[in-house]
Amino acid sequence: MSSQTPIATLGPELRIRLKEHTEGLPNDIINTNLQARFVKEFDGLREFRDAIGLLTRLGSAIAEEDVKDMLSPGLPFFIAKSSGTSGKAAKLFPKYHHLVGAAPSRNPFAAKTCHITFMTYLRVIDVLRNEGKSTKVIVTVSSSGMVRMQHDLGIEKDPEMIKMTLPNTTSPIAVGHIRNYRSFLLMHALFALAEEKLTFVYATYSTIFIDMIMFMEEEWFTLLNSIENGTIPDFEDMSHVHAYLGPKLLPNPSRAQKLREIVLQQVNCILTGVFATTVPQMRYYLGPQVLINSRAVGASEGYIRVSYSFTDLNLFKLATKEFIEYLDITKNASPANLVPAWELETGRRYEVFLTTRDGLWRYRLEDIIEVAGFDPVEDMPLLRYVERLNRDLRLSAGVSITETQIIAGILAGEKSLGKVKEFTVIIDERASLRQFGYFVELQDALRPNAHLALHEVHDELRRINYDVNLHFSNKAIGETTIRILKPGSFSDYRQWRLDIARTAAGQTKVPVFVTDEVTKEWLKERVIHELLHPAED
């Protein structure tokens, strides 16, 4: 984390240094993957091979095994599965073991982290070798796979590792094998509360941390009793890990008495985009002393950037071994228009393209960032997340709205609604004119004049979106609607999605836009109040 003030432009020396660093990354990626069968055999890379004299340098030997060295040297350590939040089919990305240093050693005096991590897997693939042996490669979410890879926890080690706890973490590995969302978070909370050296909490998304706090409040006396007596609660769907967790929790009456004095230093989770709305609620729970840090940003495709400031939660420094290129959003998407890091301009917005170390693959991430400047010491670009590319909701011909605008709209209504905990938006087709329809879960009770939020939200959308304003004035679209969901609806949503999509506990997030009918009906069943203008009451 830095206290340096960003600089708007790079001087000659810093520009050369950034250029040399950036140009070295594709060379490293190419050298890493030269032995891959994809590089040596794929017809589309013939000119690439000629350019670097690949066949002359490597000869014509081909690996005997069907999968080994296919995309990158060796076998994938795991296959990362994307969350599929947008409604599209989840994508799969092979991830290879890059030697980046040993896993942290166990230090009994070190601060402890509650790392809310899913440790099981979604699928196992048997890779058969020519000699009749097989190797197992798991399909899992990227965060889980990276933890496994960092600690070299192949699936063959699971029978022993499920009995253990990773260095300087609070939760035993067995907690990561719980699939029930509520039980998964409650057990992370239990072992975090029981640990006197707890200092950090690390979650993928801020909503996961808030869900954990909410569940913890509901089961507070159960958790205290468990810590006092050293007993594991009988929460739902935990029978398969109960035997591994019991020996990990020793009776600690004094700790149970001191829990209100717990000293937590930092919470680390994603706080950009739609998750920025959760910051006030996190501050409410944590108080003014605990640092809230926007975690490092990556994707299933690869790692990108790290947080830069505790005071600016949407400011990140480029920090990656992947090769990143940028496309000015005002230009056509073509390789000729991609620019490297040293040619970025402060204040401009770009789309991010990533070439991964895990094979010669360039991915269009569809993330829009804005350049905030450059680090004056390390010369790396400083970036702000803006929104997803083409992630907009189309109401009618000529009327669509972006994620950023949808978020701005509902935040404008908080004056009358109260703090918004979470929300999503659909196209509301109940009236003759189609409307943007919000489903909102509030942090506290609905305020007496909450109906005023209808005007506040709709006026904000008209102010920031020319087409919404024009078509509403022409009576081509209707006014925005707001329906209030019962408390806990979105944590229930995460469990529901976990059950039907078989993804990871702690990986599911609420989409800004909902378009599928099944999810719409699920949301409608949880409405407890709809805001109406006084004349309609």
Side-chain angles (χ1 to χ4, degrees):
M1 201 64 60
S2 176
S3 59
Q4 299 287 337
T5 301
I7 55 177
T9 57
L10 291 171
E13 183 178 343
L14 291 180
R15 181 183 172 87
I16 291 172
R17 195 164 71 185
L18 177 58
K19 185 174 185 290
E20 290 175 347
H21 169 80
T22 305
E23 289 182 333
L25 292 175
N27 292 331
D28 292 342
I29 292 171
I30 291 171
N31 290 331
T32 297
N33 292 285
L34 283 180
Q35 297 289 347
R37 289 173 56 194
F38 171 74
V39 176
K40 292 190 287 184
E41 299 175 14
F42 179 54
D43 192 59
L45 293 179
R46 183 178 300 169
E47 293 183 6
F48 170 77
R49 290 192 292 269
D50 292 342
I52 63 174
L54 179 59
L55 294 182
T56 302
R57 293 166 58 187
L58 296 180
S60 58
I62 296 177
E64 295 180 352
E65 297 163 356
D66 291 336
V67 178
K68 185 178 180 182
D69 301 334
M70 181 172 286
L71 302 177
S72 197
L75 288 171
F77 188 87
F78 72 100
I79 296 176
K81 181 180 179 182
S82 67
S83 61
T85 304
S86 64
K88 300 178 183 178
K91 301 184 287 288
L92 300 174
F93 305 94
K95 295 293 180 180
Y96 293 81
H97 203 319
H98 303 288
L99 299 177
V100 292
S105 59
R106 187 178 295 274
N107 178 357
F109 303 104
K112 297 296 171 69
T113 298
C114 173
H115 195 152
I116 305 174
T117 308
F118 175 77
M119 287 299 294
T120 191
Y121 39 84
L122 309 173
R123 182 183 170 192
V124 178
I125 298 174
D126 279 312
V127 180
L128 300 177
R129 299 190 172 191
N130 291 340
E131 61 268 27
K133 299 179 180 179
S134 68
T135 297
K136 297 184 184 298
V137 177
I138 63 171
V139 179
T140 188
V141 296
S142 185
S143 57
S144 170
M146 294 304 293
V147 170
R148 281 178 169 271
M149 191 156 63
Q150 180 186 14
H151 295 275
D152 197 26
L153 302 181
I155 186 176
E156 71 282 353
K157 297 182 180 180
D158 277 8
E160 288 303 315
M161 293 304 298
I162 198 172
K163 306 172 186 176
M164 303 178 185
T165 303
L166 292 177
N168 303 328
T169 62
T170 58
S171 300
I173 288 177
V175 173
H177 287 264
I178 300 172
R179 288 188 176 273
N180 181 279
Y181 182 64
R182 188 174 189 272
S183 300
F184 169 79
L185 293 182
L186 278 170
M187 293 311 297
H188 276 295
L190 172 64
F191 282 95
L193 291 170
E195 175 53 64
E196 297 186 16
K197 297 186 180 68
L198 174 70
T199 304
F200 304 101
V201 176
Y202 184 95
T204 308
Y205 308 119
S206 57
T207 49
I208 294 171
F209 172 75
I210 291 172
D211 282 347
M212 185 176 75
I213 296 296
M214 182 181 70
F215 295 149
M216 186 174 69
E217 287 183 330
E218 294 171 355
E219 300 286 355
W220 181 247
F221 293 107
T222 300
L223 296 173
L224 287 185
N225 185 64
S226 294
I227 293 168
E228 183 174 14
N229 299 315
T231 56
I232 300 298
D234 191 22
F235 296 134
E236 189 175 357
D237 297 333
M238 283 181 39
S239 58
H240 62 299
V241 298
H242 221 281
Y244 304 114
L245 297 176
K248 297 291 185 180
L249 190 69
L250 301 178
N252 195 341
S254 62
R255 177 61 176 167
Q257 291 297 321
K258 294 178 181 178
L259 270 173
R260 291 192 177 275
E261 303 171 11
I262 189 169
V263 178
L264 181 66
Q265 291 186 8
Q266 186 179 145
V267 174
N268 191 315
C269 47
I270 291 177
L271 291 165
T272 54
V274 67
F275 298 106
T277 62
T278 64
V279 173
Q281 188 175 11
M282 292 182 67
R283 181 55 66 202
Y284 169 80
Y285 281 126
L286 296 170
Q289 302 303 319
V290 177
L291 293 173
I292 298 176
N293 184 19
S294 196
R295 61 166 288 192
V297 176
S300 298
E301 292 88 340
Y303 183 79
I304 303 173
R305 52 196 186 270
V306 296
S307 56
Y308 191 73
S309 169
F310 282 117
T311 57
D312 188 341
L313 298 177
N314 190 19
L315 185 61
F316 300 89
K317 179 178 70 176
L318 182 68
T320 180
K321 296 292 185 180
E322 323 288 356
F323 180 57
I324 308 295
E325 297 167 284
Y326 305 84
L327 174 70
D328 188 320
I329 61 172
T330 64
K331 296 184 178 181
N332 294 328
S334 70
N337 286 330
L338 294 176
V339 298
W342 67 87
E343 293 185 7
L344 294 175
E345 296 181 37
T346 299
R348 281 195 174 274
R349 293 185 175 184
Y350 298 84
E351 182 185 349
V352 178
F353 287 71
L354 178 148
T355 301
T356 176
R357 292 181 290 168
D358 296 310
L360 298 181
W361 300 97
R362 176 192 276 163
Y363 295 108
R364 185 175 188 174
L365 297 186
E366 298 187 331
D367 281 338
I368 303 299
I369 57 91
E370 182 175 287
V371 178
F374 298 86
D375 181 89
V377 177
E378 298 183 14
D379 62 65
M380 288 297 174
L382 302 179
L383 312 171
R384 298 189 192 279
Y385 175 82
V386 178
E387 61 189 356
R388 295 281 285 166
L389 177 72
N390 295 328
R391 189 63 60 80
D392 54 6
L393 188 64
R394 185 168 297 278
L395 185 62
S396 62
V399 182
S400 63
I401 198 162
T402 67
E403 285 188 1
T404 301
Q405 292 168 341
I406 283 290
I407 295 169
I410 196 62
L411 291 179
E414 283 192 326
K415 178 180 179 181
S416 298
L417 272 176
K419 288 297 182 182
V420 172
K421 183 177 180 182
E422 290 186 73
F423 72 92
T424 191
V425 175
I426 67 167
I427 294 176
D428 191 340
E429 300 180 281
R430 293 174 296 168
S432 57
L433 297 179
R434 303 174 97 203
Q435 306 153 298
F436 292 117
Y438 283 87
F439 289 98
V440 177
E441 182 180 339
L442 295 174
Q443 181 175 330
D444 300 308
L446 192 66
R447 293 182 178 175
N449 292 322
H451 65 275
L452 297 177
L454 289 168
H455 290 302
E456 294 164 351
V457 173
H458 189 67
D459 289 349
E460 178 67 7
L461 297 183
R462 293 182 66 185
R463 186 186 70 82
I464 61 180
N465 188 304
Y466 173 83
D467 293 324
V468 170
N469 183 50
L470 176 63
H471 285 71
F472 180 74
S473 299
N474 293 338
K475 301 188 183 305
I477 63 174
E479 189 170 345
T480 306
T481 63
I482 301 175
R483 283 175 272 187
I484 308 301
L485 302 180
K486 69 179 182 180
S489 288
F490 284 114
S491 60
D492 291 344
Y493 169 86
R494 283 181 272 278
Q495 180 64 59
W496 178 65
R497 289 296 304 170
L498 177 63
D499 291 339
I500 64 176
R502 301 301 296 167
T503 186
Q507 182 71 11
T508 303
K509 51 189 174 184
V510 178
V512 178
F513 308 136
V514 169
T515 56
D516 70 282
E517 295 301 322
V518 175
T519 303
K520 288 181 185 178
E521 291 302 316
W522 190 94
L523 291 166
K524 291 173 185 176
E525 291 173 359
R526 284 153 182 80
V527 173
I528 57 174
H529 183 79
E530 178 162 8
L531 300 187
L532 299 172
H533 296 289
E536 300 174 76
D537 286 335

